[in-house]
Amino acid sequence: MIQDLILLVGLQSQTSWNQFWRMKLGRKLLNIFVFGLLVVMLIFVSGAVGLGSGTLLKRSPELQLESLLPGLILTAIALLLLVSSFGLALGSLFFSRDLDLLMSAPVSRRAVFISKILNGFTTYYLLVFALAVPALLTYGISLHYGPFYFIFMLVAVLGTPMLPAGLGALLVLLVARVAPVRRVREVLGLVAALFGTSCALISNTASYWTRQLSGMDPTLEGLLKLIHSFANLPVPSLVAGRGLVAAGQGSLLPALGLMVSFLLVTFGFFAGCVWLADRMYATGWLRMQGAGSTKRTHRVPAGLAAPTAPTGAMPVASVGEQADAPGLSRSLRREIGAAPFFAIALKDWRIIPRDLRNFAQFLSPLFLIPLIYIQLFMTPGGGRGQTMAQMVNTYAPGVDLSSILLAGTVLMSTIFVFSRIAQTGISMEGRSYWIIKAAPISGRELLLGKFVGAMIPFILLSTLLLVIAAIVRHFSLGGFLYGWFGILLLGAGMLAMDVGVSVPWANLEWDDPRKMHSGWGGLLAFIGYIFIGALGGSFLALPYIAELFLPFIAPVAWLVGPFFAVGFTSLIAALSLWLGLSRLHKVGEA
Amino acid sequence: METPAVQAQNLRKVYGKLEAVADATFTLQPGEIVGFLGPNGAGKTTTIKLLTGLLEPTAGRAVILGHDIQKEPIAAKASFGYVPDTPNLYGKLTGWEFLKFMARLYRVPQDRAEHRARELLRLLQLSDAATDLLEGYSHGMQQKIAIAAALIHDPKVLFLDEPTVGLDPKSARLIKDILGQLRDRGTAIFFSTHILEIAERMCDRVMIINQGRIIASGTMAELRAGENTTASLEDIFLALTGGAEYTAIAEVLE
């Protein structure tokens, strides 16, 4: 088995190296730069946390946290690794492309399993060395710990990924016994997005929670008590942390005892998990091979369930001929419904919600909407913007500034949801892009389909939100209509720009929908948003500014402002779409 | 004179230093089945992709029923159906939804599209799986639904890249029957295959490509006359593309 394991690990290293080495030079350099930058940033932040904590605890020994912090750092990292290990184990144990080959080859199945588990360790150690090591290192330096602290630190760091890796693999195989693995992968994508969104929401609503918790008397003593009771739990990473501090303070024997028990538990648990998971792996993998497809029972076309015709029973020449009947409706609705661009939009609307990982991409911006609305409606007096609007209304009664401010909020909160659809418009086709490319549709129709696919849901959601805002905040009809016009105009410009930008950076070679998004395209689109939002918004606000400061030119401003807004937004949209069209023939050429 | 179904004029495709297709010139007439043979990596798929507009040629042009695929892509593409070697389809659509989507792309009126989709599903024995997501289809089922999609608009020209790969014998026979009927209706069919027996039995003409160059083209009789032999297509193919190395097989196996 060991020989097989060495062979398989060697194979994995070789394929990873080849994948990197055979990249184009520019891409390789960019990857190195981005990766290096990220690592340096993480090291810097982690080091600063360790140094800051060490310095603080040195000055405030009464907190009695010195012996706990390394354990808390290791535990936090272990939790992070546990979350990533589930996804990594799922991917490498069930979705690696070489599994068919390996499972049918005369190599030990256990070697295949362990090699796949070990595959994730590069990522685990990278995370540990970028996040935990700098913090522990600077912590030890700031507290003037002896050399044994640093030696034991390396041992603790090497042992930390064992438990989460083993547990992650075991959990994956347990879940695979009760649920289809493909669905688990999609749900995991959704959970990861929910987790990220929750973190973002909590951090963004910190002031709200602080207000809510202010009545609970969160004294420092209570908090410290909570930390102490947690840090003394018999969790391996916390035990390792206590061992580190003991080593740093010169108590070598207790340190050794703690570290040995940490290593025994963590490696023993890893071995146990691997043993258990290995026994379940073959069953889980075979289940996945035999898993049937999802049956969608809605809209079953009439006559499809009829008995199957025997081979060659019906000549292909007769297929469809009797249906070529006259009397086709020529209504506009039918024309649009039958148009290829609408077929593309309809297809995207079907595909997106059916893949939860795809759907997960829209969650974070989608979750921001209720948050913004809660703040908008629950804040007494409507917040600073509303106070300003009331002030303006006092000076110029005809100016409904609150409608403009809320329209801006509605635009910004909804555009980020649907920009994901527009920006990944071409990438979304993935390896199926040949279908579109071989079909008799023009580039204009394709981009129109992608635009409509994002624009129609944008119109529906933004209109709904604006109507709610108008009812709650009592807009004037004029204010509502002008705000609505502004949202649709700027939104259309931004989404058209997204669609245009989606072409040059299209990525068709993805397996995970989260990887179809292009960083460069997103950045360019974001700059474009600022441009359209600032300039287009300024043109739209021109009549209001005139009403306030130069009322005599207001009638002209009501004509000129919207005119320039339409002109400017159309220009940006047209330029982006032209860029997209000019590059469309290159997509899928490689 | 009837417009040729397919005309390839000095088609050339170069990737860096590799010349994948070199100066390919040939014609297909309506109602003709042409088999496109060649060793792995000879340029078969690239040629089909050049003909269908999936790749831009470095030089030369492809004309489908009088329409240049690069200059009049919409008209050219509307007249043919294409089945790739690997049917990458939209996994999250059902078979029925996929066919309806394809019908809309090819501007088939809705009533006709629904009827035709229903009949094609029945013909290709996919009716029971019509409401399943395509991601759950086997390779053979995906191949069949791709063939159904290629036929949804009743094309006058059909390009197929290894159409029988992954199909069971019954399905392979069905596809051969369908191709035969389409030929009888005047559809021009251009397909690549490694199964020389299929090419020998079904095709009106055979073309052999090797290292990007078309090295032989004609009916079986013409090929035999050219090689001055009465041998099978397999022997002609090996003689043209190099089969001397196979004599070493016995030594390797020993």
Side-chain angles (χ1 to χ4, degrees), chain A residues 190-325:
Chain A
L190 188 70
V191 170
L194 281 173
F195 180 74
T197 307
S198 309
C199 291
L201 277 180
I202 290 168
S203 61
N204 279 316
T205 51
S207 60
Y208 172 78
W209 295 114
T210 311
R211 280 200 302 275
Q212 295 297 310
L213 294 170
S214 59
M216 289 176 62
D217 189 23
T219 56
L220 186 64
E221 268 179 46
L223 194 67
L224 284 173
K225 207 173 159 184
L226 190 74
I227 294 173
H228 277 275
S229 56
F230 172 74
N232 285 315
L233 289 171
V235 174
S237 48
L238 293 170
V239 171
R242 286 200 289 275
L244 283 186
V245 177
Q249 291 169 341
S251 313
L252 207 57
L253 210 58
L256 207 61
L258 288 166
M259 287 310 288
V260 168
S261 56
F262 160 71
L263 290 175
L264 280 176
V265 170
T266 196
F267 277 91
F269 195 86
F270 176 71
C273 283
V274 167
W275 180 77
L276 258 174
D278 174 48
R279 295 178 80 84
M280 294 189 279
Y281 180 44
T283 333
W285 189 75
L286 287 171
R287 261 172 60 92
M288 189 185 82
Q289 303 305 304
S293 62
T294 311
K295 196 109 184 162
R296 308 197 75 84
T297 49
H298 66 281
R299 295 199 62 195
V300 180
L304 266 184
T308 304
T311 305
M314 188 182 66
V316 72
S318 71
V319 169
E321 280 179 356
Q322 69 254 46
D324 201 8

Side-chain angles (χ1 to χ4, degrees), chain B residues 99-118:
Chain B
L99 288 186
K100 283 191 69 179
F101 167 67
M102 291 299 283
R104 279 179 161 178
L105 280 189
Y106 285 83
R107 296 169 172 85
V108 181
Q110 195 179 340
D111 294 346
R112 186 182 160 89
E114 288 201 356
H115 179 78
R116 200 165 165 83
R118 194 175 291 121

